Amino acid sequence: ALQDLEMTINSNLQAAWWESALLGRHDPTRQELLVIQQNMQDMFDVLPAVKWCVLNEDFQGQHQEFIGDLQEPLQALVREATQLLKLCISAPYAGRKDRKSMNKVIQESALHVQKLQKMLVKDYRRKSLRPNEDLADETTLVFSLSFTARKAADLSKVICEKKEHWACWRGDNFILLMKGCWEGFKNTWKPSKMFSREHLEFAV
């Protein structure tokens, strides 16, 4: 269901360029949402692994010994990464005045995520247990959650950096728009198209 939703969002964003005609203040928002969608796709890719771990774990063997003291830092990392992702998704909709303060909140949250991730890695390396068949699900889960948090932190950098190439009212956007209009006009009204046998048969 999530993958179907992601594909719908991607197609809608790709097709929405005409709403702003590649100009004005809305197209940079669309491009920023596309970047968010592409980063979330990487997160969606690890969800099957998380699902597999949850459904197949029997909580036997070395599970409690391995995951016991990792549970709290894992939960903290997931909470903060989720909050950071929500902030990143909300950022494109913020006004210019609110965007600066929101970027600051995003940067602070990203630093917290990175700090929690380092703490998790430190706790993981402190384990005397090493990955084995019995701990395969637990190890995969820890990696997947850590990867998702890292992607959220990476996304925050893209959201907060200046995007000069997304600036509005650029001449190259206008030229692209005019070229597209001209090509559309030619393809519609060109005599070879208008008087082609297929076109005439369709018109009749």
Side-chain angles (χ1 to χ4, degrees), residues 75-167:
Q75 291 176 338
L77 181 62
V78 169
R79 282 195 300 268
E80 190 63 35
T82 302
Q83 180 62 26
L84 175 58
L85 189 58
K86 289 180 179 178
L87 288 170
C88 290
I89 294 173
S90 302
Y93 301 101
R96 291 183 180 179
K97 293 182 180 180
D98 297 331
R99 185 60 187 267
K100 289 185 178 180
S101 59
M102 179 169 272
N103 283 355
K104 185 176 180 180
V105 174
I106 290 174
Q107 289 171 339
E108 291 174 353
S109 179
L111 288 174
H112 193 196
V113 167
Q114 291 170 345
K115 181 180 178 181
L116 289 171
Q117 191 177 30
K118 288 179 180 178
M119 291 174 60
L120 176 63
V121 172
K122 186 177 180 181
D123 290 341
Y124 175 80
R125 289 177 175 173
R126 196 179 295 163
K127 291 282 183 182
S128 58
L129 300 172
R130 287 291 173 260
N132 55 60
E133 186 176 354
D134 181 48
L135 296 174
D137 292 335
E138 291 86 348
T139 304
T140 303
L141 180 65
V142 171
F143 169 80
S144 300
L145 295 179
S146 180
F147 172 80
T148 302
R150 174 62 183 271
K151 290 298 297 185
D154 290 345
L155 176 60
S156 70
K157 295 179 182 179
V158 179
I159 293 297
C160 293
E161 69 183 6
K162 291 185 178 180
K163 307 172 185 65
E164 296 297 334
H165 59 293
W166 289 357

Side-chain angles (χ1 to χ4, degrees), residues 6-17 22 27-41 92-93 155 158-159 166:
E6 186 275 331
M7 291 178 63
T8 301
I9 293 172
N10 180 51
S11 61
N12 288 341
L13 288 172
Q14 293 284 0
W17 66 269
L22 301 178
D27 196 62
T29 299
R30 182 185 69 86
Q31 295 191 48
E32 196 166 24
L33 289 171
L34 272 172
V35 170
I36 292 174
Q37 181 272 328
Q38 290 162 1
N39 277 264
M40 291 186 68
Q41 174 62 55
Y93 301 101
L155 176 60
V158 179
I159 293 297
W166 289 357

Side-chain angles (χ1 to χ4, degrees), residues 187 190-203:
N187 289 333
K190 190 163 57 173
S192 61
K193 292 280 187 180
M194 291 180 61
F195 297 105
S196 67
R197 180 176 178 178
E198 292 81 4
H199 184 81
L200 292 174
E201 289 176 350
F202 174 78

